[in-house]
């Protein structure tokens, strides 16, 4: 029996909800859960240095297989010694499989049993990704946690279409497991799909659990459905996943969605939201979103968030950050990106403390009271 690359240790279950306090151990360290993972699509969390990510408490970051396959190419990253070496990051790295990018970014040509034919979104070149190819790229990139190659169908797609899709996704998942070269050092997760159909989510979960992955992702959410619809899918999907393995909800990152995902038993989250909205001057604060570029902050010499202890809030004012953004000073983007990531990582710290003391629902009420 080989030791798995990634193990999950369930420390405590919340008395009143499905929330869990845990730890994930990878070849690049052990991390507390529930956790938020900053997204570093092209092997960089935009505008952030690894030291800054570490000081704010980021343990695991994401990189995108599709993007890195196109640029600079997985062979170059492998030659550099893998992603950790290439980007000077010695903590956890998770790569997605390209499945979502292919279905959301590239011009789709067609999906066959073998894989997906599509056009390179940068130059229109014809490309093909199969489970075997995606896993080979992820093996070359060297992430600690890898995603299976799947189809992410539209949430509202028909029952018949999604039934065929999840059955193919399960066959692709099995092919990925067979193609995976380094199970001792890289953990391959299965991805549960099924759109908004309860029976198909159950079938997808059952099929993947029978393949005994070391961890499970819940995909196909945060793709246009309402928060209530997402929460409803989580209500019946997370309980189908093994209690002793990590559960990762893909693409979710607003404060309210993080709290509600944790309450439903999710351990890991990722989202480009904090860094993406930071670049157009929108900041997450304990009192809701603050668009610091607005004229009303021109002479506001308070920090972005008076309750925040981050580097940006301890040293700079709304007026200064607004000035930087208005004059296209790159330092402005760095400060808003730093703050937004710190805000979500700090929110996860507070959530873990609340689970420890069985007061997560009280924390949720207090948070929403202020956040609005
Ligand atoms: C921003 N929303 C969002 N939904 C996602 C779903 C997936 C997925 O199902 N991958 N297989 C990945 C990334 C996502 N990001």
């Amino acid at each position: 029996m080989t030791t798995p690359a990634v193990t999950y240790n369930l420390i405590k279950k919340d008395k009143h909800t499905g929330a869990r306090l845990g730890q994930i151990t990878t070849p690049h360290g052990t991390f507390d859960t529930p956790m938020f993972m900053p997204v570093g699509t092209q092997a960089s969390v935009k505008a952030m240095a690894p030291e800054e990510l570490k000081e704010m408490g980021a343990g695991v970051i994401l990189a995108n297989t599709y993007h890195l396959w196109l640029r600079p190419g997985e062979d170059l990253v492998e030659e550099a010694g893998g992603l950790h070496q290439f980007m000077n990051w010695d903590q956890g790295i998770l790569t997605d499989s390209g499945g979502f990018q292919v279905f959301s970014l590239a011009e789709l040509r067609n999906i066959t049993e073998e894989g997906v034919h599509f056009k390179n979104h940068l130059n229109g070149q014809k490309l093909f990704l199969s489970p075997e190819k995606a896993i080979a790229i992820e093996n070359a990139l060297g992430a600690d946690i890898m995603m299976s190659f799947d189809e992410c169908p539209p949430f509202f797609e028909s029952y018949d279409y999604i039934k065929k899709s999840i059955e193919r996704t399960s066959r692709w998942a099995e092919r990925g497991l067979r193609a995976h070269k380094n199970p001792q050092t890289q953990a391959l997760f299965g991805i549960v799909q099924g759109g908004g159909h309860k029976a198909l989510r159950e079938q997808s979960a059952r099929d993947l659990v029978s393949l005994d992955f070391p961890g499970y992702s819940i995909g196909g959410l945060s793709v246009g459905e309402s928060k209530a619809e997402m929460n409803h899918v989580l209500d019946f999907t997370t309980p189908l996943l093994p209690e002793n393995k990590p559960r990762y909800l893909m693409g979710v990152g607003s404060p309210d969605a993080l709290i509600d995902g944790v309450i439903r038993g999710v351990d890991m989250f990722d989202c480009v939201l904090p860094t993406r909205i930071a670049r157009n001057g929108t900041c997450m604060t304990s009192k809701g979103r603050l668009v610091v570029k607005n004229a009303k902050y021109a002479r506001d010499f308070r920090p972005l968030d008076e309750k925040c202890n981050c580097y940006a809030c301890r040293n700079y004012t709304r007026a200064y950050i607004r000035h930087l953004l208005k004059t296209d000073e790159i330092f402005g983007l760095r400060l808003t990106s730093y703050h937004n990531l710190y805000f979500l990582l700090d929110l996860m710290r507070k959530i873990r403390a609340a689970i420890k003391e069985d007061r997560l629902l009280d924390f949720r009420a207090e948070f929403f009271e202020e956040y609005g």
Side-chain angles (χ1 to χ4, degrees):
M1 171 69 180
T2 52
T3 42
V6 165
T7 52
Y8 175 72
N9 173 27
L10 173 55
I11 294 171
K12 178 184 181 294
K13 294 199 286 190
D14 179 61
K15 272 208 183 75
H16 314 294
T17 70
R20 310 118 59 85
L21 194 60
Q23 286 187 322
I24 289 181
T25 297
T26 78
H28 285 90
T30 294
F31 311 99
D32 295 329
T33 61
M35 69 154 78
F36 176 78
M37 303 180 286
V39 174
T41 297
Q42 303 181 114
S44 161
V45 177
K46 290 184 172 35
M48 292 291 98
E51 293 74 13
E52 292 168 321
L53 293 169
K54 270 193 202 168
E55 78 188 14
M56 62 171 83
V60 182
I61 62 171
L62 241 83
N64 284 125
T65 297
Y66 170 72
H67 291 84
L68 292 168
W69 175 42
L70 266 48
R71 297 182 297 187
E74 75 281 7
D75 46 350
L76 186 151
V77 175
E78 189 168 33
E79 203 179 312
L83 269 180
H84 292 88
Q85 192 81 21
F86 190 48
M87 64 186 290
N88 184 34
W89 175 256
D90 63 2
Q91 311 263 306
I93 297 180
L94 183 151
T95 46
D96 71 353
S97 62
F100 184 72
Q101 271 68 37
V102 164
F103 293 98
S104 62
L105 246 187
E107 212 180 302
L108 255 200
R109 279 166 51 89
N110 69 332
I111 310 172
T112 66
E113 183 62 26
E114 190 49 25
V116 186
H117 298 267
F118 57 97
K119 283 187 177 177
N120 178 328
H121 76 290
L122 300 169
N123 61 16
Q125 170 201 17
K126 285 181 188 166
L127 292 174
F128 174 72
L129 261 187
S130 65
E132 291 79 9
K133 178 61 182 167
I135 296 304
I137 297 168
E138 292 184 87
N139 279 154
L141 296 175
D144 303 289
I145 300 175
M146 305 165 27
M147 291 302 118
S148 297
F149 186 68
D150 66 336
E151 179 188 3
C152 174
F155 185 84
F156 300 102
E157 192 47 89
S158 73
Y159 181 92
D160 292 347
Y161 179 89
I162 295 187
K163 181 167 174 59
K164 287 189 174 58
S165 170
I166 60 148
E167 288 167 353
R168 179 175 51 221
T169 281
S170 292
R171 292 192 295 274
W172 283 358
E174 194 163 11
R175 284 168 49 188
L177 276 172
R178 281 202 301 271
H180 184 17
K181 279 190 333 194
N182 316 316
Q184 286 88 343
T185 55
Q186 298 181 271
L188 179 60
F189 280 19
I191 304 179
V192 175
Q193 292 286 358
H197 303 281
K198 185 169 189 292
L200 298 181
R201 287 276 173 186
E202 289 169 344
Q203 180 183 343
S204 175
R206 240 188 345 265
D207 290 351
L208 295 172
V209 170
S210 72
L211 292 171
D212 194 22
F213 283 95
Y216 292 91
S217 306
I218 300 166
L221 291 176
S222 186
V223 287
E225 78 283 2
S226 70
K227 288 199 172 144
E229 284 163 326
M230 175 161 75
N231 286 335
H232 179 58
V233 168
L234 293 176
D235 283 337
F236 60 73
T237 302
T238 45
L240 301 172
L241 300 175
E243 202 177 58
N244 65 334
K245 293 182 177 178
R247 300 152 176 181
Y248 161 33
L249 175 55
M250 307 179 88
V252 169
S254 61
D256 51 326
L258 289 174
I259 296 175
D260 284 341
V262 168
I263 283 174
R264 289 163 177 79
V266 175
D267 308 306
M268 301 160 68
F269 301 84
D270 88 276
C271 192
V272 294
L273 189 77
T275 37
R276 182 168 293 172
I277 64 172
R279 290 196 296 283
N280 61 43
T282 301
C283 299
M284 296 172 166
T285 77
S286 45
K287 290 187 167 48
R289 287 191 179 191
L290 181 139
V291 184
V292 72
K293 265 175 121 173
N294 283 352
K296 66 179 172 183
Y297 301 115
R299 285 180 165 73
D300 187 336
F301 300 107
R302 291 174 293 174
L304 291 171
D305 183 342
E306 295 183 285
K307 290 192 171 175
C308 180
N309 195 31
C310 86
Y311 167 72
C313 291
R314 281 185 286 108
N315 294 288
Y316 304 97
T317 65
R318 294 167 180 185
Y320 177 64
I321 294 170
R322 177 179 180 276
H323 158 65
L324 294 180
L325 295 173
K326 296 295 279 184
T327 56
D328 291 329
E329 280 296 335
I330 294 167
F331 187 46
L333 301 181
R334 281 182 32 72
L335 290 172
T336 54
S337 299
Y338 189 106
H339 168 77
N340 281 358
L341 285 171
Y342 181 100
F343 182 86
L344 288 188
L345 290 164
D346 200 47
L347 174 62
M348 299 317 280
R349 271 188 287 276
K350 289 170 182 164
I351 286 172
R352 293 194 295 267
I355 296 171
K356 207 178 259 176
E357 296 156 16
D358 291 316
R359 57 177 179 77
L360 182 56
L361 286 176
D362 294 341
F363 173 75
R364 182 182 188 279
E366 290 152 22
F367 180 85
F368 282 116
E369 178 71 28
E370 270 222 283
Y371 191 75

